[in-house]
Amino acid sequence: MSIEIRRAREEDRERILAISSQIWDGYDYVPNVLDEWMTCRSGELLVAVLDGTLAAFSYRTWVAPGHAWLQGIRTDSALRGRGAGRMLTEASLERSWRDGARRVGLSTYIDNQASMHIVEAFGFHRVASFVYLEGDLAARAEPAPVAETLTEDEAIRFVAQSEFLAAANGRYPSGWKFLEFGWAPEAAIAWSPYRIGIRRRGRVESALCASRRSAGADCATPRPDELDVGVLSFLDGDEEDFPALLRKASTDLGTTSWEAMVPKSGDRGARALGALRDLGLRSWSEFEEDVFAYELDRPGAGSPSERREP
Ligand SMILES: CC(C)(COP(=O)(O)OP(=O)(O)OC[C@H]1O[C@@H](n2cnc3c(N)ncnc32)[C@H](O)[C@@H]1OP(=O)(O)O)[C@@H](O)C(=O)NCCC(=O)NCCS
């Protein structure tokens, strides 16, 4: 058996879409992002060709300077277990180190046992766990405290000291991507350009950071009724402020439909978890952790403080 790993070409498109159509009952997000993945100069779409047949693909991109990100690995269901996933992962790692990565990250859902098996064999460590939530917020009519826009500096300071971030072992979420906040706070906070908070006596007491995803964004295939979804990256502070913050965010972003990654590890969960459940968001797994962030640091890359960009 021969295996060739190479960059995807235009003529691979049909096979890539055929493989993608086997995943998640046709709800894979890859068709939405394939154009971007084929043309994006900073990212790289790799394919594995087994005995002349395109058997698998995966995408590699960056979440911050020096921090590569792997996603979207899929093998044709008829050709699994022949080493294509492993070879793609190995090639992605080698190419990441070659291109200057000091860390490579990825995330996976609890069901993806094969994926976890492969990345753990390459030395990836599980660094944080989250509960994925989605759904429509229940409408409520309580009087709203006044939420105001936060500056980037205010948001960074609040997030950095939050229990939410501590429960996430310092990893900041946006959709299915995660970045250690201390690695690049500006890059992490830029994922959620919508930032509001509630100040009392001049101090920020609660904050929400979010963005809006729309069709074609890096996400699962949106159904027509979920073309505009709020992506909640961060919610912490006084729990009583959460409904008002979410209500304002829904109004400003023009959606009541939300998805969120809320940190949880064993008994330790962010306080947003209970609040979002009470407000009507659903979990795929009984509100237990079901999404895991993995990282691998380049061997010999030094301590985190030495690894910072100059
Ligand atoms: C994950 C995936 C890409 C692996 O592709 P693959 O080409 O079959 O991978 P390989 O043949 O290189 O390796 C598979 C490894 O997983 C192991 N494996 C398979 N199913 C497993 C399971 N349920 N639990 C634990 N390990 C499992 C195999 O034993 C093999 O390990 P080994 O080489 O030590 O024996 C493939 O399963 C897939 O496309 N899954 C659906 C999409 C998906 O979930 N992608 C990941 C999103 S994060």
Side-chain angles (χ1 to χ4, degrees):
M1 183 183 69
S2 75
I3 298 193
E4 180 199 359
I5 305 289
R6 60 163 174 80
R7 212 178 166 128
R9 303 180 193 129
E10 198 45 46
E11 61 266 28
D12 298 329
R13 195 180 274 273
E14 214 172 299
R15 271 296 290 157
I16 290 171
L17 290 172
I19 293 170
S20 160
S21 71
Q22 303 170 341
I23 314 275
W24 303 319
D25 303 324
Y27 275 90
D28 192 12
Y29 69 86
V30 168
N32 289 341
V33 294
L34 188 56
D35 282 346
E36 188 192 321
W37 283 5
M38 299 282 284
T39 53
C40 181
R41 285 167 56 189
S42 57
E44 186 176 52
L45 179 61
L46 291 179
V47 297
V49 182
L50 286 190
D51 293 330
T53 301
L54 195 161
F57 60 88
S58 68
Y59 187 62
R60 177 172 72 92
T61 184
W62 299 87
V63 287
H67 195 322
W69 188 260
L70 309 187
Q71 67 188 92
I73 189 164
R74 279 114 182 76
T75 298
D76 185 328
S77 49
L79 298 169
R80 291 190 189 158
R82 300 188 192 187
R86 206 175 266 273
M87 292 279 286
L88 277 173
T89 306
E90 185 173 33
S92 301
L93 281 175
E94 280 169 3
R95 287 164 181 243
S96 300
W97 306 143
R98 179 202 66 193
D99 293 346
R102 284 158 290 137
R103 175 174 288 178
V104 179
L106 59 91
S107 70
T108 183
Y109 188 66
I110 194 166
D111 284 351
N112 298 333
Q113 295 295 328
S115 198
M116 288 186 232
H117 176 85
I118 292 172
V119 301
E120 284 170 9
F122 280 101
F124 277 85
H125 290 289
R126 191 180 285 188
V127 291
S129 49
F130 297 81
V131 184
Y132 176 71
L133 300 178
E134 62 175 15
D136 284 345
L137 283 177
R140 295 241 182 120
E142 67 271 54
V146 182
E148 299 166 284
T149 300
L150 298 181
T151 66
E152 181 185 279
D153 277 356
E154 277 179 316
I156 286 176
R157 273 200 305 275
F158 192 87
V159 169
Q161 291 165 11
S162 66
E163 285 179 22
F164 183 101
L165 195 69
N169 192 24
R171 270 65 184 179
Y172 188 80
S174 178
W176 291 73
K177 289 198 175 92
F178 303 90
L179 173 60
E180 186 174 0
F181 202 69
W183 177 289
E186 290 83 7
I189 209 79
W191 277 344
S192 39
Y194 180 82
R195 302 162 205 134
I196 53 171
I198 290 174
R199 291 190 186 87
R200 293 192 181 89
R201 294 171 295 282
R203 265 188 75 230
V204 178
E205 289 207 342
S206 303
L208 174 155
C209 304
S211 61
R212 196 169 97 153
R213 88 159 149 73
S214 18
D218 185 0
C219 55
T221 307
R223 295 186 299 268
D225 59 335
E226 54 170 38
L227 286 182
D228 290 303
V229 173
V231 178
L232 183 67
S233 283
F234 178 86
L235 178 64
D236 207 2
D238 184 341
E239 244 175 288
E240 295 196 354
D241 293 337
F242 294 172
L245 286 168
L246 283 158
R247 193 141 46 98
K248 178 166 168 57
S250 295
T251 305
D252 292 349
L253 296 175
T255 178
T256 52
S257 188
W258 285 88
E259 62 171 54
M261 287 287 179
V262 183
K264 180 172 190 294
S265 176
D267 292 341
R268 190 176 190 198
R271 62 171 73 89
L273 187 59
L276 291 168
R277 182 181 51 206
D278 293 347
L279 286 164
L281 294 200
R282 297 180 307 274
S283 154
W284 296 341
S285 57
E286 309 287 337
F287 296 88
E288 294 301 330
E289 52 263 58
D290 56 1
V291 176
F292 305 112
Y294 279 89
E295 289 172 2
L296 177 63
D297 285 347
R298 185 170 65 194
S303 68
S305 55
E306 290 163 336
R307 283 199 305 261
R308 295 274 157 72
E309 291 289 295

